[in-house]
Amino acid sequence: MEALPRIARGAGSYLYDEAGRRYLDGSGGPAAFSIGHGNAEVNAAIAAQLARVACGYRYLFTSEALEELTRLLLSLCGSEFGHVLYSGSGSEAMESALKVALQYWDARGIRTRRHFIARERSYHGNTLGALSVSGFDERRRPFEGSLLEASFVSAANAYRGLRGLAGAALTAALAEELEARILALGAERVAAFVFEPVVGAAGGAVPAPEGYARAVAAVCARHGVLLIADEVMCGAGRCGSWRALEHDGVVPDIMAVGKGLAGGYIPLAATVVAREPGDTILGAHGAFLTGHTYSGHTAACAAALAVQRIIARESLVRRVRERGAALLAELRDALARFAEVGDVRGRGYLIGVEFVRDRATREPLPAERAFGQTLGRHAFEDGLIVYPAGDTVIVAPPYNASDAELAELIERLTRATARTLAQR
Ligand SMILES: Cc1ncc(COP(=O)(O)O)c(C=O)c1O
């Protein structure tokens, strides 16, 4: 493997390496850097917090930063939510989401609900619990045999629909499949259904078909199964609403957010729990039995608070919603001349461009061509960061990228596409 360039600094939508090369951050790395790099206001907020104290240990102290952030998050998520559990990564936030579900059933004295249902082509993290519910075969395989009990239903992908179905028929078939699985396992054994409202790296930026989230939420409600939304990548404004599921009018019981929350300035993630399951746990056990030494790290909370205040003050979620639709259309236009562009899809600033061998049959490219990786490398060499995911590349710019930067992104991606397709 080639040596990686050494990063030197970041400013807005650009990163610079030690050799002086400039990179336009077209995917925020893995859709993480929500307001770009080197933001002076965020850096000042972190420095001010560090000057006072870096971290108050969670069992001894609370802090202004943590309390303010919690208030802000609950107001952004909606009044149905009542509890926020902090952690350091999306994997930990998902691990906590699974544990909260299990603890809830235990708090109610229902010890049979221990099983999770998740979806194929999904990713929820790299800890053993989060990996157990991930339909990401390459990452799971070496650990099979020691993972939690979980079963998988079909991915909700309109481009590669179950049995070739589309639209309302696809949504109905996927909801029926979930219900049949719950009944086959026995509803009394199922703790929760886990899904990404807009799939990130495991599928290549795939929004579910319209109505899907409402349909699976109704199935879960019918059978008393908790709904866990993994919004680690698609949440915190990335898809044009603060919670991705706001778009669908669905409130999950438990939700994980990460990446864009503190925008990469300091690692921070959160598990946000609806009032009812959270109150039941606190009533029975007095505390959520999850967390780590640095949960709610004070400087990390100060970073997230500064990032979220900027997002709110500059109406960046609205910009992502409105500009995202235009960006999708512009990408479709720019890439339409390449026969191998099969699908350009997404929501807000989480957009996937999927390449295929044959646009009509949607036949995938040969795996040995490693198309996404090659395209990602060509873009990088030309000063553009995109996120390869199989034969898809994900575009996920900072929410405050300028129109000129978005135009540059499209131009460089088009150039890298032409170069990659010319190479057979
Ligand atoms: C949807 C989703 N869930 C969970 C994770 C895990 O997050 P982390 O890598 O911060 O542990 C990721 C990371 O890419 C993700 O995309």
Side-chain angles (χ1 to χ4, degrees):
M1 196 173 135
E2 262 177 68
L4 299 176
R6 278 187 163 172
I7 195 155
R9 66 188 180 90
S13 298
Y14 293 95
L15 292 167
Y16 299 82
D17 69 19
E18 282 189 358
R21 290 174 48 84
R22 189 181 84 156
Y23 305 85
L24 173 62
D25 197 345
S27 70
F33 305 118
S34 43
I35 60 159
H37 305 277
N39 186 286
E41 186 178 330
V42 180
N43 288 342
I46 296 168
Q49 183 60 57
L50 290 177
R52 290 196 295 273
V53 65
C55 181
Y57 178 50
R58 67 187 177 118
Y59 284 131
L60 299 177
F61 297 102
T62 176
S63 64
E64 187 188 334
L66 184 144
E67 288 176 11
E68 283 287 307
L69 179 63
T70 303
R71 260 196 296 279
L72 183 61
L73 285 186
L74 290 176
S75 75
L76 288 165
C77 289
S79 58
E80 297 88 348
F81 293 90
H83 313 267
V84 181
L85 315 176
Y86 293 103
S87 53
S89 68
S91 302
E92 290 168 89
M94 278 306 297
E95 194 80 18
S96 282
L98 302 175
K99 290 181 73 187
V100 167
L102 295 173
Q103 193 183 350
Y104 169 73
W105 292 116
D106 186 75
R108 287 191 47 190
I110 300 172
R111 294 279 311 163
T112 52
R113 289 196 185 254
R114 302 277 99 183
H115 192 97
F116 292 100
I117 301 179
R119 297 191 313 201
E120 286 155 12
R121 301 209 59 175
S122 60
Y123 181 57
H124 300 294
N126 241 342
T127 54
L128 279 176
L131 194 61
S132 300
V133 291
S134 297
F136 204 134
D137 292 342
E138 305 89 88
R139 294 194 186 176
R140 287 175 62 91
R141 208 173 304 115
F143 309 100
E144 296 280 4
S146 288
L147 299 174
L148 294 179
E149 237 189 273
S151 41
F152 293 85
V153 290
S154 303
N157 184 337
Y159 185 63
R160 299 194 178 281
L162 180 67
R163 301 193 294 274
L165 294 169
L170 174 59
T171 295
L174 291 165
E176 276 164 29
E177 184 193 15
L178 175 62
E179 186 150 38
R181 185 65 56 86
I182 292 172
L183 293 173
L185 289 161
E188 72 289 351
R189 291 187 55 221
V190 183
F193 172 59
V194 182
F195 80 117
E196 288 172 80
V198 179
V199 179
V206 189
E210 210 47 48
Y212 173 85
R214 280 192 304 282
V216 292
V219 168
C220 288
R222 245 191 326 272
H223 298 285
V225 170
L226 293 175
L227 188 65
I228 300 179
D230 179 349
E231 298 209 359
V232 168
M233 189 182 285
C234 63
R238 170 63 58 197
C239 290
S241 50
W242 204 89
R243 286 191 304 110
L245 278 181
E246 248 172 85
H247 170 92
D248 308 272
V250 168
V251 178
D253 297 291
I254 307 166
M255 175 179 84
V257 285
K259 299 187 190 284
L261 176 60
Y265 281 81
I266 300 191
L268 186 73
T271 307
V272 189
V273 183
R275 287 180 189 280
E276 201 286 302
D279 292 347
T280 298
I281 287 173
L282 294 183
H285 296 160
F288 292 96
L289 298 175
T290 186
H292 310 268
T293 296
Y294 295 130
S295 295
H297 188 280
T298 319
C301 288
L305 189 57
V307 168
Q308 293 304 322
R309 280 180 172 157
I310 291 169
I311 289 174
R313 190 179 67 225
E314 298 183 4
S315 302
L316 292 179
V317 177
R318 192 174 71 209
R319 168 154 173 95
V320 168
R321 182 167 59 247
E322 292 170 1
R323 193 63 184 81
L327 179 61
L328 185 71
E330 288 161 12
L331 277 164
R332 275 191 185 136
D333 266 7
L335 298 171
R337 67 185 164 98
F338 302 111
E340 291 85 350
V341 172
D343 194 24
V344 185
R345 60 184 172 236
R347 198 193 295 161
Y349 278 5
L350 188 55
I351 297 175
V353 181
E354 180 166 341
F355 294 85
V356 289
R357 177 184 259 166
D358 183 322
R359 195 183 270 178
T361 64
R362 303 183 181 182
E363 184 193 346
L365 287 160
E368 61 279 8
R369 205 165 156 190
F371 189 85
Q373 286 296 336
T374 311
L375 174 48
R377 185 165 42 79
H378 288 161
F380 196 65
E381 285 167 7
D382 188 40
L384 170 69
I385 297 169
V386 288
Y387 188 26
D391 289 338
T392 298
V393 291
I394 297 177
V395 168
Y399 307 170
N400 52 359
S402 68
D403 285 343
E405 288 162 350
L406 296 177
E408 182 187 335
L409 189 167
I410 293 172
E411 189 193 317
R412 287 185 192 274
L413 181 59
T414 307
R415 202 151 62 216
T417 300
R419 182 179 162 201
T420 313
L421 286 171
Q423 224 176 53
R424 303 236 161 219

